[in-house]
Amino acid sequence: MDTLTIVGCQFGDEGKGKIIDYLSCNYDLSVRFNGGENAGHTVVTDGNTIKYHLVPAGFLRARTSVIANGVVINLRKLNEEIDFLSRFRGSFELKISNLAHIVTDLHIERDRYLESLRGKGSIGTTLRGIGPAYESKFGRYGIRLEDFKDPKVLEEKLGFLSYIYNIPKKQGMVEDLIHYYEKISTFITDTSEYLREEIDEGSSALFETAQGTFIDVEFGTYPFVTSSHTITGGVTVGTGLSPKYFGKFLGVAKAYTTRVGEGYFPTEIEGEDAERLRKLGNEYGATTGRPRRIGYLDIPMLRRSVKLNSLDYIALTKTDVLGRFKNIKVGVSYIKDGSELKEYDPNKRVDKVEYVSFEPWEDNRSNLNKFIEFIEDEIGVPVALLGSGEKREDIEKRHLI
């Protein structure tokens, strides 16, 4: 059995799309198991910049792409994405879970309403309706693709959702949803059974998360988190496969740290240094375009991520960007009430971050090697892949995965 699960080690935006695309040529199946179109995985290949939001980022190279049951789907956006991606791969296999919940305009309106109520305590949501879609899912009044088999059921469920949210349905909403559903209906199947049969028969599979470890709804900087499980544990319920199907785990980390939205960020920097690194790395959200908050690499954060995800390897991205930065620091521990803390805790504010400094490596590979070896020694897992540019080929393989 050959399966690999890829997760983000920080707050998302680590460059997972590029790593997934690079590795997907070695796998039969590319599987997305959580989140919605609030995610953005960017791939640059053959002069084209491709931004995935719902379709797995291994779409171009794997035999079959799978959107599993843990994903919440905006049907209009999915249709647009499939139409866009078909320009780059005319013939493809796509499977979409019949148990996946959908995002409607009612969820989007609900998202805006809730964020407006929070005022100064706003979470910084993308306002794409993702949180309310999971809210309705776990409230047991959500709408699944399975419900489209009977338009009367769909009508009733939309009516109930409208009643709960106290938001009126727009005229033509049901018809629009059915229209978009019918365009993708041939892709819809029981993906849990499909994946089980494929892997049992010898197919290899690459599983990908959206977002990063520390915006996981359970283990992130709550309440400034997403609404799904972004850690490796989420892959089981997000696909319907038992733990025995998951063999290897790869975490993707940026050589520094970034974050979109609010929430605790110990190594955050501001001012000229932050703006320079933001411009060097083009640090703007792939989905929202919002400028990302900037910080140094946080080793205590990576230590916790390795444990939470049982990581076997790390892929380190944007080393080329950081190598041009003059003031390279790495957070190695925290000070809290006079005591040293070696591991990140999203629920515990610290008084101070302890840093070590590194020399730039733009023209000196040995300085980069020192940086990598330091990280490996601190977190206890190898840096298997090294990203040094935005293109697919700008990846160095350091260890077999």
Side-chain angles (χ1 to χ4, degrees):
M1 182 183 68
D2 183 10
T3 64
L4 175 67
T5 302
I6 297 179
V7 297
C9 290
Q10 297 153 318
F11 298 116
D13 306 311
E14 298 96 346
K16 294 184 295 297
K18 173 183 174 179
I19 300 299
I20 295 161
D21 170 76
Y22 174 79
L23 291 172
S24 60
C25 63
N26 301 319
Y27 291 88
D28 299 307
L29 313 174
S30 180
V31 187
R32 167 84 177 271
F33 66 84
N34 79 302
E37 50 117 3
N38 55 338
H41 289 166
T42 302
V43 172
V44 179
T45 180
D46 297 327
N48 299 301
T49 299
I50 301 170
K51 294 185 179 182
Y52 295 91
H53 297 282
L54 287 163
V55 176
F59 172 84
L60 291 180
R61 310 182 85 187
R63 186 196 74 214
T64 306
S65 297
V66 179
I67 301 175
N69 55 277
V71 180
V72 292
I73 299 172
N74 181 316
L75 290 175
R76 179 173 62 83
K77 292 292 186 179
L78 178 58
N79 273 276
E80 290 174 358
E81 188 169 340
I82 291 171
D83 288 345
F84 170 73
L85 292 173
S86 64
R87 301 182 208 170
F88 304 97
R89 184 172 181 176
S91 177
F92 57 87
E93 288 185 16
L94 175 64
K95 307 291 182 181
I96 304 171
S97 174
N98 62 317
L99 301 183
H101 283 243
I102 67 163
V103 180
T104 69
D105 289 344
L106 294 171
H107 294 107
I108 295 170
E109 288 299 316
R110 171 77 168 174
D111 212 356
R112 291 172 180 157
Y113 171 69
L114 291 175
E115 192 73 343
S116 70
L117 289 181
R118 294 184 178 105
K120 292 182 180 179
S122 65
I123 292 174
T125 171
T126 59
L127 302 176
R128 305 299 174 99
I130 308 305
Y134 282 107
E135 174 188 60
S136 63
K137 175 178 180 175
F138 290 103
R140 294 170 293 180
Y141 50 88
I143 301 169
R144 304 184 298 176
L145 291 177
E146 184 75 8
D147 297 322
F148 282 75
K149 291 179 178 178
D150 187 341
K152 290 182 180 179
V153 171
L154 178 61
E155 180 88 52
E156 289 173 0
K157 291 204 167 191
L158 277 169
F160 189 54
L161 188 64
S162 173
Y163 173 74
I164 289 175
Y165 287 170
N166 195 26
I167 300 172
K169 285 188 304 175
K170 293 179 181 177
Q171 188 172 2
M173 178 181 288
V174 175
E175 292 77 12
D176 284 347
L177 287 172
I178 291 174
H179 167 72
Y180 289 121
Y181 167 80
E182 288 177 344
K183 291 182 71 175
I184 62 164
S185 60
T186 57
F187 302 133
I188 297 171
T189 189
D190 181 343
T191 55
S192 295
E193 185 66 22
Y194 171 78
L195 289 170
R196 198 157 29 246
E197 290 178 354
E198 283 286 326
I199 297 172
D200 285 347
E201 292 174 6
S203 292
S204 55
L206 181 67
F207 298 91
E208 68 177 77
T209 186
Q211 292 96 29
T213 291
F214 294 106
I215 57 171
D216 181 273
V217 69
E218 298 278 4
F219 297 102
T221 55
Y222 192 89
F224 305 103
V225 294
T226 194
S227 299
S228 63
H229 294 292
T230 63
I231 60 174
T232 54
V235 72
T236 56
V237 293
T239 60
L241 296 174
S242 71
K244 76 173 186 178
Y245 284 93
F246 304 100
K248 297 173 292 184
F249 301 98
L250 170 72
V252 183
K254 199 175 285 184
Y256 46 100
T257 312
T258 62
R259 177 166 196 165
V260 171
E262 304 301 318
Y264 183 42
F265 188 170
T267 62
E268 184 173 14
I269 57 175
E270 297 177 341
E272 291 182 7
D273 277 356
E275 188 57 31
R276 181 163 184 265
L277 195 49
R278 184 180 294 115
K279 289 181 178 178
L280 282 172
N282 190 28
E283 296 296 348
Y284 300 89
T287 296
T288 63
R290 290 183 293 179
R292 295 169 181 151
R293 296 159 62 191
I294 304 294
Y296 295 116
L297 185 67
D298 189 327
I299 292 294
M301 186 177 289
L302 294 189
R303 290 192 188 106
R304 171 64 72 94
S305 189
V306 167
K307 290 181 180 179
L308 276 174
N309 295 297
S310 293
L311 297 180
D312 299 297
Y313 321 93
I314 291 286
L316 192 64
T317 63
K318 295 220 170 176
T319 56
D320 58 318
V321 172
L322 188 62
R324 301 199 300 271
F325 197 60
K326 302 302 180 187
N327 188 26
I328 299 175
K329 292 183 180 181
V330 174
V332 292
S333 65
Y334 309 131
I335 302 297
K336 173 69 174 177
D337 298 329
S339 298
E340 184 182 41
L341 304 176
K342 302 288 284 185
E343 197 170 298
Y344 178 66
D345 182 344
N347 304 300
K348 186 180 293 183
R349 296 261 174 175
V350 300
D351 302 320
K352 181 183 177 183
V353 180
E354 296 288 333
Y355 291 98
V356 296
S357 298
F358 290 85
E359 294 295 323
W361 50 76
E362 184 176 16
D363 301 312
N364 190 332
R365 172 68 192 218
S366 65
N367 287 343
L368 173 58
N369 291 339
K370 291 175 184 177
F371 179 75
I372 295 168
E373 289 165 5
F374 177 82
I375 294 170
E376 291 177 327
D377 288 342
E378 290 292 320
I379 66 175
V381 296
V383 174
L385 299 173
L386 198 64
S388 58
E390 64 177 9
K391 299 176 183 177
R392 175 187 287 165
E393 56 269 23
D394 294 333
I395 293 179
E396 176 185 327
K397 185 178 289 187
R398 301 180 72 250
H399 294 277
L400 291 176
I401 297 177

